[in-house]
Amino acid sequence: MPELQKIKLVLEDGTVFEGKSFGYHKSVAGEVVFNTAMTGYPESLTDPSYEGQILVATYPLIGNYGVPKDDKENGIPKFYESDRIHISGLIISDYSFEYSHWNAENSLREWLMQNEVPGIFDIDTRALTKILREKGSMLGKIEIENETIDFVDPNKENLVAKVSVKEKKVYGTGKNKVVLVDTGAKYNILRCLLKRDTTVTVVPWDYDFTQDDYDGVMLSNGPGDPQMCPDTVKHIQKAMEIGKPIFGICLGNQLLGIASGASTYKLKYGHRAHNHPVIKVGTDTCYITSQNHGFAIDNESLSSDWEPLFVNVNDKTNEGVRHKSKPFFSTQFHPEASSGPTDTEFLFDEFIGLIEKSK
């Protein structure tokens, strides 16, 4: 085992957790959030929705299966959700210095070092998570010895602009033309579309795609406050006037809601896990879903033309909306998963069905 340096986590309420450094040894600040998933840290760390956040993994043992190879397929990484790590820092209870997996190419520690992302272990993550549950997600900072930095609120920045593509990119040669509005899109959304006979044009968050030739619009996930994306909302409203199918995921759900006239609010500590149960409204059907978000649509603010599509079983918050007569719908959870359960991937088939029906 290498010689370990001391490092600490400081919360904005003054709470201090001291631990050991196992990533890149530097100080960073961000919003501290927790995820209860047992597996999937390579996917979580590369999920653009975590931009600006310090991630707490509640599962006690992390790192035991290393990180995968950086193989490419269709021009994108095969095993990651973006081209880089997006979290600002990683907090865990116990780090496994030994790793074993058929697809592992590197250790989690080496990967964090390469990407200059700090990691802390030997922290009581149960105690930390209880604080975040009781007081809500809060600002925090990771500080190395003899260094003090200021707190930073990432939600005051336009995080979407930081993670979105800068120019249009086209993937696939399928018969259905889909515009994917990249507000921080996970690559598995693109993979799920490509395996359904599509040509996908990925466009920047503020690009006016309504002038392009397309059959359907996919609104992606992404980080931060949806109110930071007025340009995206304006383009969604123009697309709604055109009337071609629209499917939103996560931040895309919130942006579709705002475009329809609804309002959003910040959740106390968000939903970040693999096991959130949602009910399809009007049925007894429950799905177990993968989630990662800190904001939600206010169901009471939906106009008469719109209705909730899914509701969270745990706290009754909105998990999706749909238009009552037009081919527009969205989910707050991640039907593409990666990581997590794939129970709701059929929603991509429903989206393609709406495209083919509307042609």
Side-chain angles (χ1 to χ4, degrees):
M1 184 185 296
E3 188 176 334
L4 302 172
Q5 295 174 283
K6 291 180 180 179
I7 195 166
K8 64 184 177 181
L9 171 69
V10 183
L11 300 180
E12 63 177 315
D13 69 349
T15 306
V16 177
F17 289 88
E18 295 187 347
K20 300 182 180 74
S21 176
F22 76 98
Y24 192 80
H25 199 62
K26 72 173 182 178
S27 301
V28 295
E31 181 184 29
V32 184
V33 300
F34 66 89
N35 185 316
T36 64
M38 295 172 66
T39 60
Y41 57 81
E43 293 90 340
S44 291
L45 270 58
T46 53
D47 181 348
S49 293
Y50 280 117
E51 182 71 25
Q53 294 180 327
I54 296 172
L55 178 62
V56 180
T58 64
Y59 190 69
L61 182 65
I62 300 293
N64 56 311
Y65 59 92
V67 294
K69 300 169 185 171
D70 194 19
D71 292 349
K72 298 285 195 294
E73 190 173 71
N74 295 315
I76 60 174
K78 193 174 180 180
F79 304 108
Y80 296 110
E81 290 309 303
S82 69
D83 294 319
R84 65 177 175 90
I85 294 178
H86 284 275
I87 64 166
S88 295
L90 180 62
I91 314 285
I92 65 173
S93 173
D94 188 16
Y95 176 65
S96 174
F97 285 89
E98 300 291 327
Y99 68 90
S100 178
H101 191 274
W102 65 270
N103 196 36
E105 184 176 63
N106 224 337
S107 72
L108 174 58
R109 180 173 187 266
E110 289 166 323
W111 190 42
L112 291 175
M113 301 271 278
Q114 290 165 6
N115 285 269
E116 299 189 1
V117 176
I120 307 179
F121 80 102
D122 204 18
I123 273 183
D124 187 346
T125 51
R126 285 181 62 124
L128 173 56
T129 302
K130 283 182 72 174
I131 292 172
L132 297 177
R133 275 187 64 93
E134 289 164 10
K135 298 185 178 180
S137 297
M138 64 176 73
L139 302 184
K141 52 186 180 177
I142 293 173
E143 291 181 335
I144 61 176
E145 286 188 289
N146 303 317
E147 184 170 297
T148 302
I149 61 172
D150 295 328
F151 291 105
V152 174
D153 186 354
N155 293 306
K156 291 182 178 177
E157 300 178 60
N158 186 342
L159 298 172
V160 165
K162 291 178 69 174
V163 301
S164 176
V165 293
K166 306 306 180 205
E167 56 188 25
K168 290 196 325 185
K169 295 181 182 179
V170 180
Y171 299 88
T173 56
K175 65 177 181 179
N176 295 310
K177 290 174 281 189
V178 175
V179 169
L180 172 55
V181 182
D182 180 15
T183 52
K186 290 167 61 184
Y187 278 144
N188 210 42
I189 294 176
L190 180 54
R191 295 183 199 107
C192 286
L193 290 170
L194 289 175
K195 69 182 184 182
R196 288 170 170 83
D197 198 15
T198 59
T199 298
V200 181
T201 302
V202 180
V203 301
W205 69 282
D206 57 351
Y207 174 80
D208 186 0
F209 57 87
T210 59
Q211 306 302 314
D212 294 1
D213 179 26
Y214 65 88
D215 300 318
V217 179
M218 170 66 74
L219 307 173
S220 84
N221 64 292
D225 187 341
Q227 302 294 342
M228 291 285 188
C229 304
D231 291 345
T232 315
V233 169
K234 181 174 63 180
H235 299 147
I236 294 169
Q237 289 170 332
K238 288 174 69 174
M240 287 161 62
E241 290 176 12
I242 294 170
K244 292 179 180 179
I246 301 174
F247 178 18
I249 292 174
C250 195
L251 180 63
N253 176 61
Q254 298 156 24
L255 294 176
L256 185 62
I258 293 170
S260 75
S263 59
T264 59
Y265 63 98
K266 194 173 194 300
L267 295 167
K268 183 178 179 182
Y269 47 80
H271 297 160
R272 297 175 183 88
H274 286 170
N275 62 344
H276 273 275
V278 304
I279 292 257
K280 187 172 183 182
V281 175
T283 75
D284 292 325
T285 307
C286 180
Y287 301 99
I288 303 302
T289 64
S290 179
Q291 302 202 11
N292 176 16
H293 62 100
F295 292 80
I297 293 174
D298 179 1
N299 277 331
E300 300 302 316
S301 68
L302 290 170
S303 67
S304 58
D305 290 334
W306 292 78
E307 62 186 359
L309 180 54
F310 296 95
V311 172
N312 190 291
V313 176
N314 293 336
D315 60 10
K316 312 306 177 191
T317 55
N318 178 270
E319 291 287 356
V321 297
R322 68 178 166 193
H323 195 279
K324 291 180 180 178
S325 60
K326 296 179 179 177
F328 313 146
F329 75 104
S330 56
T331 67
Q332 187 57 64
F333 54 87
H334 288 268
E336 84 287 355
S338 193
S339 54
T342 56
D343 303 30
T344 54
E345 194 182 319
F346 69 88
L347 292 168
F348 285 92
D349 297 319
E350 293 193 359
F351 175 51
I352 299 301
L354 289 173
I355 287 175
E356 294 181 339
K357 185 178 177 182
S358 65
K359 278 186 174 181

